[in-house]
């Protein structure tokens, strides 16, 4: 009887644990291993030249990204699917230009560094394929290297994105065209799939238009909207009915973020 009671107790605990785990988004993004690349800078001392960009985030200050941003070369940008991914970088193997102690910086991918095939890859065409390259907002570059360096070798790795608040969904477009910008994503940071559900529809996959702008041609006005995002690490997060039935184009709604 004592053994039976112990087994029932363990079963109850395990069942409770299962219930708790199912109530959360399972797992935590752990990042990746160290790799090598090079880094340059752009955008001016206040990073004003980094606004906008190929990820569609617009004003990086108001979106919460600030100056901790980078434009990625073709090898890293992944046709825009890397938008929102976070990286740790250190200046490496250049004692003349690297700051002492090799301090780390943490940046979010917000833009694309296009190739320049008129220049050789090792002399001006820094973002030419297949080179992995980071064009950093100038304030971030100056945290790891001297201004006069211009370009430095770096070590980098993917890291979990740490964001305040929930995932933000900004709905633009018009009645027959919904364009949803997804920002402030924690965990892996970059979204590879987005679905939407109205109160009168089933779940519908949205197609990526550009950067982290996702589109649907369904008529969704007048319905409360739910969103389901899938990150590059295959974890997903569902935000139920975050846009009320009276939502308007141009509004932003906050949903459930990933744990870090």
């Amino acid at each position: 009887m004592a053994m039976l009671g112990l087994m029932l107790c363990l079963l109850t605990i395990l069942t409770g644990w299962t219930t708790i785990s199912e109530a959360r988004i399972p797992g935590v993004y752990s990042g990746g291993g160290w790799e090598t690349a090079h880094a340059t800078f752009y955008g001016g001392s206040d990073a004003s030249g980094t606004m906008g960009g190929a990820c569609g985030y617009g004003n990086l200050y108001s979106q919460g990204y600030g100056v901790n941003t980078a434009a990625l070369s073709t090898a890293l940008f992944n046709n825009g699917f890397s938008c929102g991914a976070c990286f740790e970088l250190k200046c490496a193997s250049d004692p003349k230009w690297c700051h002492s102690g090799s301090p780390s910086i943490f940046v979010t991918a917000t833009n694309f560094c296009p190739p320049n095939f008129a220049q050789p890859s090792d002399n001006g065409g820094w973002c030419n394929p297949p080179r992995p390259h980071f064009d950093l907002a100038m304030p971030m570059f100056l945290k790891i290297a001297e201004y006069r360096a211009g370009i430095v070798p770096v070590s980098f790795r993917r890291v979990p994105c740490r964001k305040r608040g929930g995932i933000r969904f900004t709905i633009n477009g018009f009645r027959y065209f919904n364009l949803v910008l997804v920002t402030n994503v924690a965990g892996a940071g970059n979204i590879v799939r987005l679905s939407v559900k109205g109160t009168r529809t089933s779940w519908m996959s949205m197609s990526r238009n550009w950067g982290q702008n996702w589109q649907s041609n369904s008529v969704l006005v007048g319905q409360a909207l739910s969103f389901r995002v899938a990150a590059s690490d295959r974890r997903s997060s569902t935000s139920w009915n975050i846009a009320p039935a009276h939502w308007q184009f141009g509004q932003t709604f906050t949903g459930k973020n990933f744990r870090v």
Side-chain angles (χ1 to χ4, degrees), residues 2-258:
M3 181 62 70
L4 179 60
L6 178 61
M7 292 177 65
L8 288 173
C9 182
L10 289 173
L11 180 61
T12 301
I13 293 172
L14 290 173
T15 303
W17 283 348
T18 302
T19 302
I20 292 171
S21 66
E22 287 176 349
R24 299 176 178 176
I25 302 167
V28 174
Y29 179 69
S30 58
W34 287 99
E35 301 178 59
T36 58
H38 284 80
T40 49
F41 61 87
Y42 78 117
S45 59
D46 61 354
S48 59
T50 66
M51 298 299 111
C55 291
Y57 294 143
N59 188 321
L60 300 177
Y61 293 141
S62 62
Q63 293 286 13
Y65 297 105
V67 301
N68 294 62
T69 62
L72 306 186
S73 65
T74 301
L76 297 173
F77 192 63
N78 193 23
N79 292 318
F81 280 107
S82 292
C83 288
C86 296
F87 299 86
E88 178 183 4
L89 283 81
K90 295 183 178 185
C91 189
S93 306
D94 194 343
K96 179 180 179 181
W97 299 118
C98 293
H99 289 332
S100 61
S102 297
S104 290
I105 58 171
F106 297 89
V107 296
T108 302
T110 60
N111 204 354
F112 173 54
C113 182
N116 179 6
F117 295 114
Q119 300 288 339
S121 297
D122 59 352
N123 187 18
W126 310 123
C127 291
N128 291 352
R131 289 177 63 100
H133 189 89
F134 294 84
D135 203 12
L136 300 169
M138 184 175 171
M140 300 310 295
F141 183 89
L142 297 181
K143 288 180 180 291
I144 62 172
E146 297 292 332
Y147 173 85
R148 289 183 299 162
I151 180 172
V152 292
V154 294
S155 297
F156 76 95
R157 63 177 176 176
R158 281 282 300 273
V159 293
C161 296
R162 301 181 183 277
K163 305 297 182 184
R164 293 182 179 179
I167 298 175
R168 293 195 290 266
F169 303 87
T170 301
I171 308 174
N172 294 302
F174 52 90
R175 182 175 178 84
Y176 298 101
F177 177 73
N178 309 280
L179 191 67
V180 177
L181 171 63
V182 184
T183 58
N184 201 54
V185 182
N190 56 325
I191 297 302
V192 297
R193 190 166 61 254
L194 177 65
S195 301
V196 63
K197 182 185 184 308
T199 48
R200 299 190 299 272
T201 75
S202 57
W203 283 104
M204 298 178 292
S205 295
M206 303 185 75
S207 58
R208 195 172 67 88
N209 187 294
W210 65 284
Q212 281 298 346
N213 284 282
W214 299 75
Q215 74 175 63
S216 169
N217 295 325
S218 300
V219 177
L220 297 172
V221 292
Q223 303 180 61
L225 302 181
S226 303
F227 294 97
R228 177 173 292 158
V229 298
S232 60
D233 62 352
R234 298 184 181 180
R235 293 169 61 220
S236 62
S237 172
T238 302
S239 300
W240 291 97
N241 300 315
I242 59 169
H246 56 272
W247 64 267
Q248 300 291 319
F249 289 107
Q251 290 183 310
T252 299
F253 303 95
T254 303
K256 185 179 182 180
N257 219 329
F258 294 100

